Amino acid sequence: MGIESALRLIFPPACASCGAPVAEEFGLCPACWRDTGFIGGLVCDRCGTPLPGEDEGRAEYCDDCLTIARPWERGRAALLYRDRGRQMVLALKHGDRLDLVRPMAGWLANAVRPILVPDMLVAPVPLHWLRLLRRRYNQSALLSRALARSLGLDHCPDLLIRARKTDSQEGKDRDTRFRNLQGAIRAHPRRRHRLGGRHVLIVDDVMTSGATFAAAADACLAAGASHVSVLALARVAKDA
């Protein structure tokens, strides 16, 4: 018996969410899978929110993306920010559940495939250094690194920086969220050379109004990126 087989006997695979026995490591049990709210079918091509109707192979857009100027081109999200999905996002963000990065990167990879282009540069939404010091890690950077590695894409964890500390977005309305992020994100002065003519994929854990993604996309385009797409682990959807 090999070491790996022996370890599986001692430590059998457990559900990444609830700890129940599962067949494969880093998977979810059937109950948690049903409660996670993975996004499939017809989605908004710009933000990834689910849409009613059938996917007929053409780009469709939600009401927000038809009325709000989005500086990025295309976007996707892996799951809805509710129920089990929300619990796991918060466990990664505030509960030191770094073991969730591996399965989450797989979910992100499945979600982003329709909008992948060759030679994409993957980068996370940045944290301000004070918040990073307090939290000890940037969950978006962990996700973007694992995603880039799985897809064989270039990754730059410090492509963007938070030029100023911003208030939490929680509880703010859409307009306030956008004002809060205005000018807060910039390209890292020593990484600008990596942006010239590149299509950048920006990764974050949660998308609500899109204000953070907009600030990050604006920063990339201002520094010379040719195109920007966005990818969220979880999407706050109005009808979710």
Side-chain angles (χ1 to χ4, degrees):
M1 179 183 295
I3 294 176
E4 184 174 339
S5 298
L7 287 174
R8 286 175 67 91
L9 286 175
I10 301 172
F11 305 106
C15 173
S17 179
C18 74
V22 292
E24 299 292 336
E25 290 185 56
F26 307 105
L28 295 175
C29 69
C32 289
W33 184 272
R34 287 192 301 270
D35 290 342
T36 297
F38 289 101
I39 295 174
L42 182 64
V43 300
C44 174
D45 197 54
R46 195 151 286 139
C47 75
T49 198
L51 296 175
E54 299 295 325
D55 187 352
E56 298 180 356
R58 63 175 183 268
E60 301 283 356
Y61 303 100
C62 67
D63 291 344
D64 281 352
C65 288
L66 287 172
T67 57
I68 301 172
R70 305 289 200 193
W72 67 85
E73 290 192 356
R74 306 183 73 187
R76 288 295 187 273
L79 49 93
L80 293 170
Y81 189 62
R82 68 179 188 192
D83 304 328
R84 189 71 63 169
R86 180 177 181 274
Q87 293 174 19
M88 287 190 288
V89 170
L90 293 176
L92 171 63
K93 191 170 187 173
H94 300 299
D96 291 338
R97 285 289 309 277
L98 303 188
D99 57 296
L100 290 171
V101 170
R102 181 167 172 177
M104 286 174 172
W107 305 337
L108 285 167
N110 288 333
V112 79
R113 290 190 192 283
I115 64 171
L116 283 179
V117 298
D119 199 34
M120 262 184 164
L121 175 62
V122 183
V125 166
L127 285 179
H128 188 269
W129 69 270
L130 285 174
R131 188 163 293 167
L132 181 60
L133 190 65
R134 187 164 57 247
R135 192 177 293 171
R136 293 178 290 107
Y137 59 87
N138 178 358
Q139 72 280 356
S140 298
L142 297 178
L143 292 170
S144 63
R145 180 181 65 185
L147 173 70
R149 183 179 299 159
S150 71
L151 297 176
L153 296 173
D154 288 344
H155 180 241
C156 188
D158 58 349
L159 185 71
L160 301 170
I161 58 174
R162 291 261 183 171
R164 62 177 174 83
K165 189 175 182 294
T166 56
D167 295 333
S168 170
Q169 295 282 69
E170 189 172 352
K172 290 180 170 59
D173 61 27
R174 187 180 70 190
D175 291 342
T176 305
R177 284 171 176 265
F178 276 85
R179 285 196 301 271
N180 189 40
L181 268 296
Q182 190 170 8
I185 298 178
R186 298 177 187 171
H188 194 301
R190 293 195 294 273
R191 302 291 180 265
R192 292 176 67 96
H193 67 280
R194 300 193 63 177
L195 279 161
R198 298 291 296 274
H199 192 141
V200 180
L201 177 66
I202 302 171
V203 178
D204 203 3
D205 57 345
V206 180
M207 177 181 177
T208 304
S209 66
T212 304
F213 274 134
D218 281 337
C220 289
L221 294 170
S226 61
H227 308 278
V228 175
S229 294
V230 302
L231 175 64
L233 174 62
R235 180 73 170 96
V236 176
K238 292 179 180 179
D239 298 326

